Amino acid sequence: MTVPGRRSSTFTRLLRHGFTDPSAAERLLGLADMASVRTDPVLLDALGAAADPDLALRSLVRLVEAQKPVVRQSLLDTLVSAKPLRDRLLGVLGASEALGDHLARHPSDWKALVTYEAADLHPGVEEFECGLADATDPVTLRIAYRRCLLSIAARDVCGTTDVAETAAELADLATATLRAALAIARTAAPGDAALCRLAVIAMGKCGGHELNYVSDVDVIFVGEPAEGADESKAMQAATRLASHLMRICSETTVEGTIWPVDANLRPEGRNGPLVRTLSSHLAYYQRWAKTWEFQALLKARAVAGDPALGEEYIEAVSPLVWQAAERENFVADVQKMRRRVVDNIPVAEVERELKLGPGGLRDVEFAVQLLQLVHGRGDATLHSGSTLDALRALAGGGYVGRADAAQLDSAYRFLRAMEHRIQLYRLRRTHLVPEDEADLRRIGRSLGLRTDPVAELNKEWKRHASVVRRLHEKLFYRPLLDAVAQLTPGETRLSPEAARQRLEALGYADPGAALRHLEALSSGVTRKAAIQRTLLPVLLGWFADSADPDAGLLGFRKVSDALGKTPWYLRLLRDEGAAAENLARVLSAGRLAPDLLLRAPEAVALLGDPEGLKLRGRDHLEQEILAAVGRADTAEVAVAVARGVRRRELFRTAAADLIGSYGTEDSPAEADPGALVDRVGNAVTDLNAATLAGALRSAVREHWGDTLPTRFAVIGMGRFGGREQSYGSDADVLFVHEPREGVDEQEAARAANTVVTEMRRLLQVPTTDPPLLIDADLRPEGKSGPLVRTLASYEAYYHRWALVWESQALLRAEPMAGDMELGRRFLDLVDPLRYPAEGLGDDAVREIRRLKARMESERLPRGADPTLHTKLGRGGLSDVEWTVQLFQMRHGWAEPGLRTTRTREALAAAHAAGLIVTEDAQILDEAWVMATRVRNGVMLVRGRAGDTFPSDGRELGAVGRYLGYGPGHVGDMLDDYRRITRRARAVVEELFYGA
């Protein structure tokens, strides 16, 4: 008798055995049907060993109650006396609510777990076919399938089979089930069966002999007419048989469903015919198939139907599979498909996604399949559909490091075991790790984690996912280093030919040179070489993600040669996560940024500093440059320092632009291309203005000390004044001066001209730094006029001689250096010219249109494609800018917002004032931004300015990557450019020419 207020001894024992609801368990054990075993210590121990003791007991009671009275005691006696049955039955009941439900509906099926013969331990297709032999319709097939599944689950939860053997058994059961379903379909339609030969090809995990408990079974159907049969009628018959087979397995009956049969991996997917002849399959694969379809065929296996036809299919497609790595952009296609899978996971599920999330099962499978396809061309030992078998073969052949392979094998087995236990519970197709603590506890206990199941499960899961995340990229690149490095005895290296194959697949144009670079960087036993061997596998992946991997690797070798002996360089790349990726992006995106970096490699430190890529404003730059000029002994030294700052800031700007355009693993690419254009334009303009200020100060100090005899200002014009400069832009300027009080005008003029001449000389002195070219051709009288004028001289010229085009050019005038008050007075002087009161007259408008038309016909380079020339072509920069400037000159007197030197600001102001409708403003802005981005991209890629797309394929691809177009999408880029500029030209015709 239990004393009130005290727990019974049974309650305490149940608690100790792992029951979470001992009171309910005590009530169940107290039922009359359980009287003979309620205190049996063997049974309690066995229940306590189950993944979920409470669930195991509830399901056991339901099973006992469902037995006929004569069998009930036999079940309990056998359960207590026979350890194999006890472990199997209670193990299943504690792990799977769904199989407990099945046993309650079919109470005699527990006897399937009694036998414990050697043949029963590892059944194959034949044994499962025997188990399904009595099934004659979908309902009896489901009952027989669950009975077979019961034995697989029992071996799994008891540890008789490991995760790979369990997956293989599930695939064998699926094979037997497809055969049984096809037999039922044939029996239902003997006429159709007589007309055709039909083969069922398993794909995916079923084809790879590594199926889950609940998964779509991917198949492809191949049909041929029977001897003497009409092909059209035979294909119709085969399609009916295949459709019936799919319904038999997929449809829900009183016994539920088996699993969906998915035929969407067939040629043309769900839009293609369900059944094709072998020749039709081959015609599609040879002409139309995409890279992912060959990757899918890696796991193809004939499983049901006509065995000879199935083998013919496998033999015919196999050579195509192993040629897939020779396709253009092969590696990029596979990696892009993997990224697309991750991107499509709902944000709320990414962290719980066991299969598709980062560090999940798919990461291992994709990496292994990629390596198989690259190296399986010359090594038949890699021709396996099983992930773990293929991983073992890859390690044995030296294609993957043995330690990496062992870690991945362990991680993959753990993650698959988790997946199995999650699905086994309710036999539902899911790859999400549950959030409920009871579910996590059951999964943890089923995997042998008994001390603190939830905490231990989460810890192990995260640890294995981390291993996968770290290794799945490295797996592809690490052996490339081993191919050129000293290995420990017993290690197998990647052969030189295999290394070349892999580098070619990654897009390296000169794999021999790439291998030499790898050897130079990573060979030896120094600490430097050891760090390089750690860095290079990841860097190679980032290089391969660019349009020019060869240039990236060569640039990295040059930077490493220059900085390798400095203590901070490799430490920066190793320890600062962003620095290595940023460097890889910058080095492999084109010539300009690497050229700037190699002139002063220490600028690589900018890439690891969180503030390093933050662009600096003019005030900050001017302060730094003027301070350096003040410390210099000569003008040459002073301007050399100023040009060094300019080079560093050009690199900072280019690096920020490239990284913002490409994006990184931690930050996505900038979504607004207009923001990137404005950022570059502002940054380059500011650093050029600060450089001019430094050159001006240097020239003055060299000849006059602190004070020039005349006040002097530099007026920015063109893109310089509009703050829209690109990396290779000249500085369009006007020079204005005004003699100081008491200074002779001739003396002042000589001083001003000397300053201009000296500035131009200093900024073009040959050095390792890029020159800043000063262009003063927009001055009054052009090249025939004096380089510098007084403010009064400008006033006299403009008042008497100014032409319409000069007034238009002055729309961009903005003081950039020197005496800012003098610069503002210059603007006051020219404002009436550029924003004439009451706007432009009709004659002036006609003159501007005439000049524009003449420029279009005369200045476009001979042979240039007018649809692709960014400056003078259809809908390009000139079209948009002249249209906006016409609005400024006609309406700037009345609309203050139009009084700006910037094209996009003026366009937005014209739209805000109601002068341009929204759609037209958006079209013009999009065209101007894209044309500017193309010019920036060409300069970044080629290292020299250009107004049209490169003709070289690799350079064109690099410009495409900069603009956000992936590998193989250069055609899309050109089509988009033509479409966008064609629409812009239509707007220009209407708004500028008045068409």
Side-chain angles (χ1 to χ4, degrees):
M1 177 179 172
T2 303
V3 177
R6 292 183 61 185
R7 298 291 189 188
S8 69
S9 58
T10 304
F11 182 98
T12 305
R13 286 172 64 200
L14 292 171
L15 200 61
R16 193 167 59 247
H17 277 86
F19 286 83
T20 57
D21 189 355
S23 299
E26 196 171 15
R27 285 194 299 275
L28 290 172
L29 287 169
L31 295 173
D33 290 337
M34 303 294 291
S36 63
V37 294
R38 72 175 52 136
T39 59
D40 191 290
V42 172
L43 179 64
L44 283 182
D45 287 343
L47 286 168
D52 184 343
D54 302 82
L55 174 63
L57 179 57
R58 286 197 304 273
S59 298
L60 176 62
V61 170
R62 290 177 63 207
L63 174 61
V64 170
E65 290 176 339
Q67 302 298 317
K68 295 177 181 178
V70 68
V71 181
R72 191 172 297 156
Q73 194 57 46
S74 171
L75 166 60
L76 291 173
D77 290 345
T78 308
L79 192 64
V80 172
S81 60
K83 186 179 189 312
L85 172 67
R86 183 168 63 247
D87 291 344
R88 287 177 164 200
L89 180 58
L90 296 184
V92 169
L93 295 179
S96 178
E97 185 177 71
L99 289 177
D101 292 342
H102 172 82
L103 285 170
R105 288 195 309 274
H106 305 283
S108 63
D109 278 3
W110 67 270
K111 294 175 183 176
L113 302 180
V114 173
T115 55
Y116 200 68
E117 304 298 327
D120 180 52
L121 294 180
H122 298 290
V125 177
E126 289 184 9
E127 286 78 14
F128 288 126
E129 283 188 289
C130 291
L132 303 178
D134 295 335
T136 56
D137 56 55
V139 172
T140 54
L141 181 61
R142 279 153 177 70
I143 295 170
Y145 175 84
R146 290 288 173 92
R147 189 182 304 123
C148 293
L149 193 65
L150 190 65
S151 65
I152 294 175
R155 287 186 291 277
D156 180 15
V157 298
C158 290
T160 307
T161 54
D162 65 18
V163 68
E165 291 168 329
T166 300
E169 288 185 13
L170 289 166
D172 285 341
L173 175 56
T175 297
T177 305
L178 288 170
R179 292 178 182 179
L182 182 57
I184 293 171
R186 286 176 175 276
T187 301
D192 285 346
L195 277 174
C196 64
R197 299 166 63 201
L198 179 65
V200 184
I201 310 298
M203 304 286 284
K205 282 190 160 52
C206 184
H209 222 222
E210 51 187 15
L211 197 60
N212 303 327
Y213 276 102
V214 187
S215 174
D216 289 358
V217 170
D218 297 308
V219 300
I220 285 177
F221 295 106
V222 190
E224 293 288 344
E227 189 173 348
D230 175 76
E231 182 175 309
S232 175
K233 291 181 179 178
M235 288 301 98
Q236 292 172 7
T239 300
R240 288 191 291 270
L241 287 174
S243 299
H244 193 187
L245 178 153
M246 294 174 70
R247 291 196 303 275
I248 290 170
C249 296
S250 306
E251 287 181 348
T252 302
T253 69
V254 291
E255 286 294 332
T257 185
I258 301 178
W259 19 246
V261 175
D262 188 341
N264 287 338
L265 291 177
R266 66 186 185 270
E268 299 180 77
R270 63 185 62 192
N271 296 320
L274 183 62
V275 184
R276 288 176 183 256
T277 61
L278 178 56
S279 61
S280 176
H281 275 281
L282 292 178
Y284 172 85
Y285 288 128
Q286 289 164 351
R287 187 170 183 184
W288 303 109
K290 296 183 174 62
T291 298
W292 69 263
E293 292 177 278
F294 293 110
Q295 186 179 356
L297 285 170
L298 188 66
K299 294 184 177 292
R301 181 170 62 95
V303 292
D306 190 306
L309 179 57
E311 287 308 313
E312 280 184 68
Y313 174 88
I314 298 300
E315 288 176 14
V317 301
S318 183
L320 302 178
V321 172
W322 304 111
Q323 293 164 13
E326 298 168 10
R327 293 165 64 93
E328 187 178 3
N329 300 316
F330 163 71
V331 171
D333 284 348
V334 175
Q335 291 174 334
K336 183 168 66 177
M337 184 165 62
R338 173 69 191 114
R339 285 193 292 269
R340 191 183 303 129
V341 168
V342 175
D343 291 344
N344 288 334
I345 303 172
V347 175
E349 296 180 359
V350 169
E351 292 301 316
R352 296 192 295 124
E353 177 57 70
L354 193 63
K355 176 182 178 182
L356 303 177
L361 292 162
R362 189 59 59 87
D363 274 349
V364 182
E365 292 158 1
F366 262 65
V368 168
Q369 288 165 25
L370 194 57
L371 287 166
Q372 284 181 275
L373 290 169
V374 169
H375 298 296
R377 290 175 285 174
D379 189 344
T381 64
L382 304 182
H383 296 189
S384 171
S386 161
T387 301
L388 291 175
D389 288 348
L391 183 57
R392 192 158 45 249
L394 286 165
Y399 303 104
V400 173
R402 290 186 186 278
D404 290 347
Q407 284 186 286
L408 271 183
D409 182 279
S410 174
Y412 188 73
R413 287 174 182 275
F414 182 85
L415 295 174
R416 283 301 302 271
M418 269 188 77
E419 182 184 46
H420 280 181
R421 296 301 192 270
I422 290 168
Q423 292 183 348
L424 181 60
Y425 178 50
R426 289 196 170 120
L427 290 181
R428 290 181 184 169
R429 183 174 179 267
T430 179
H431 307 286
L432 285 180
V433 177
E435 296 178 291
D436 183 74
E437 187 160 327
D439 289 328
L440 293 172
R441 180 176 183 272
R442 181 189 65 256
I443 296 166
R445 283 174 57 91
S446 75
L447 295 174
L449 308 173
R450 296 301 175 105
T451 305
D452 187 350
V454 176
E456 290 177 67
L457 176 67
N458 281 320
K459 181 180 177 182
E460 285 297 293
W461 170 34
K462 297 302 180 187
R463 180 175 70 82
H464 284 296
S466 175
V467 166
V468 172
R469 200 158 47 237
R470 188 179 74 251
L471 287 180
H472 101 272
E473 290 279 0
K474 191 178 87 168
L475 200 69
F476 200 77
Y477 307 108
R478 170 71 69 187
L480 289 169
L481 300 188
D482 293 342
V484 296
Q486 296 295 318
L487 300 185
T488 56
E491 271 289 327
T492 307
R493 77 169 70 235
L494 201 63
S495 71
E497 182 56 32
R500 283 190 180 86
Q501 284 181 342
R502 193 174 297 191
L503 285 163
E504 284 174 359
L506 285 165
Y508 285 83
D510 189 349
L515 281 173
R516 289 193 295 276
H517 296 325
L518 292 177
E519 184 171 12
L521 287 164
S522 63
S523 60
V525 294
T526 64
R527 181 173 173 275
K528 170 186 167 184
I531 296 176
Q532 289 281 25
R533 286 194 291 272
T534 302
L535 290 170
L536 277 165
V538 182
L539 287 168
L540 284 169
W542 285 324
F543 293 147
D545 192 35
S546 74
D548 196 350
D550 299 80
L553 182 55
L554 174 60
F556 182 69
R557 180 179 175 183
K558 288 180 177 178
V559 173
S560 296
D561 286 347
L563 295 177
K565 293 182 180 178
T566 59
W568 56 269
Y569 167 63
L570 290 174
R571 187 170 64 242
L572 171 79
L573 297 183
R574 183 192 64 195
D575 298 340
E576 297 294 335
E581 184 179 5
N582 289 345
L583 179 61
R585 298 295 183 205
V586 167
L587 290 175
S588 57
R591 295 179 186 171
L592 178 66
D595 286 349
L596 292 169
L597 179 60
L598 289 170
R599 289 169 183 169
E602 64 276 2
V604 93
L606 298 175
L607 301 175
D609 181 353
E611 297 293 312
L613 296 179
K614 189 174 181 180
L615 304 180
R616 300 182 178 187
R618 189 192 308 183
D619 291 343
H620 183 106
L621 293 170
E622 198 167 304
Q623 183 180 7
E624 180 183 1
I625 287 174
L626 293 181
V629 167
R631 294 190 297 268
D633 295 330
T634 66
E636 285 79 4
V637 172
V639 173
V641 173
R643 287 173 64 179
V645 172
R646 178 172 177 268
R647 181 208 61 241
R648 183 196 69 206
E649 294 306 315
L650 274 175
F651 172 73
R652 189 197 307 271
T653 304
D657 188 18
L658 289 167
I659 292 162
S661 298
Y662 272 70
T664 65
E665 291 184 355
D666 294 328
S667 61
E670 170 64 63
D672 179 9
L676 288 168
V677 163
D678 292 343
R679 210 173 293 156
V680 172
N682 286 328
V684 177
T685 300
D686 282 342
L687 66 94
N688 284 345
T691 305
L692 283 177
L696 175 58
R697 177 72 63 87
S698 300
V700 171
R701 286 185 70 232
E702 185 78 1
H703 296 279
W704 294 278
D706 292 332
T707 305
L708 191 66
T710 185
R711 303 175 73 185
F712 186 91
V714 182
I715 309 298
M717 299 288 285
R719 296 192 178 284
F720 189 28
R723 301 185 62 79
E724 296 164 355
Q725 288 199 289
S726 180
Y727 299 103
S729 297
D730 296 347
D732 291 316
V733 298
L734 298 177
F735 297 110
V736 58
H737 79 103
E738 185 177 66
R740 296 186 186 277
E741 189 175 346
V743 176
D744 178 70
E745 285 195 14
Q746 288 187 341
E747 180 190 350
R750 281 195 301 272
N753 276 286
T754 300
V755 165
V756 171
T757 303
E758 185 69 355
M759 285 178 66
R760 298 179 80 176
R761 182 187 73 83
L762 290 169
L763 290 170
Q764 295 178 49
V765 171
T767 69
T768 57
D769 295 318
L772 174 57
L773 301 179
I774 296 176
D775 187 341
D777 289 352
L778 291 174
R779 65 187 183 270
E781 301 178 77
K783 294 181 180 180
S784 303
L787 269 174
V788 58
R789 290 175 180 260
T790 63
L791 188 62
S793 176
Y794 275 108
E795 183 176 14
Y797 175 86
Y798 287 138
H799 179 71
R800 187 172 183 181
W801 304 107
L803 300 174
V804 172
W805 73 264
E806 292 177 297
S807 298
Q808 182 182 353
L810 288 168
L811 286 167
R812 303 285 206 132
E814 184 74 21
M816 288 294 173
D819 191 314
M820 287 296 150
E821 195 274 331
L822 178 61
R824 281 191 290 274
R825 285 166 57 203
F826 179 86
L827 296 187
D828 292 340
L829 167 67
V830 301
D831 273 352
L833 291 169
R834 54 185 184 172
Y835 309 123
E838 304 302 325
L840 285 178
D842 291 342
D843 289 345
V845 171
R846 279 193 295 273
E847 176 65 10
I848 289 176
R849 289 171 175 165
R850 187 188 67 79
L851 287 169
K852 177 72 169 73
R854 179 181 167 190
M855 185 175 71
E856 289 176 13
S857 64
E858 295 179 2
R859 292 184 59 188
L860 189 70
R862 186 184 299 273
D865 184 345
T867 67
L868 293 176
H869 198 279
T870 60
K871 184 176 181 181
L872 302 174
R874 179 195 68 188
L877 297 171
S878 176
D879 271 0
V880 177
E881 289 166 4
W882 280 61
T883 301
V884 171
Q885 288 163 12
L886 183 59
F887 275 99
Q888 289 181 280
M889 296 185 76
R890 297 179 76 175
H891 303 282
W893 65 278
E895 292 293 339
L898 289 170
R899 297 172 208 160
T900 175
T901 62
R902 303 185 186 202
T903 302
R904 297 188 74 207
E905 278 189 11
L907 181 57
H911 171 247
L915 301 173
I916 303 178
V917 299
T918 301
E919 183 181 6
D920 288 351
Q922 290 173 343
I923 288 171
L924 292 178
D925 186 70
E926 183 181 20
W928 190 89
V929 167
M930 187 165 194
T932 305
R933 289 267 289 153
V934 171
R935 293 182 95 206
N936 287 348
V938 169
M939 183 66 187
L940 286 166
V941 169
R942 302 178 68 192
R944 60 183 188 274
D947 290 320
T948 190
F949 289 89
S951 57
D952 178 80
R954 181 158 283 205
E955 290 180 347
L956 187 60
V959 172
R961 296 302 302 276
Y962 170 72
L963 295 178
Y965 293 87
H969 290 277
V970 164
D972 294 338
M973 171 180 67
L974 298 179
D975 288 345
D976 286 350
Y977 183 84
R978 288 190 171 105
R979 174 181 55 79
I980 289 167
T981 53
R982 183 175 63 247
R983 295 173 68 207
R985 178 64 184 194
V987 175
V988 170
E989 293 282 355
E990 179 184 347
L991 298 182
F992 183 81
Y993 287 110

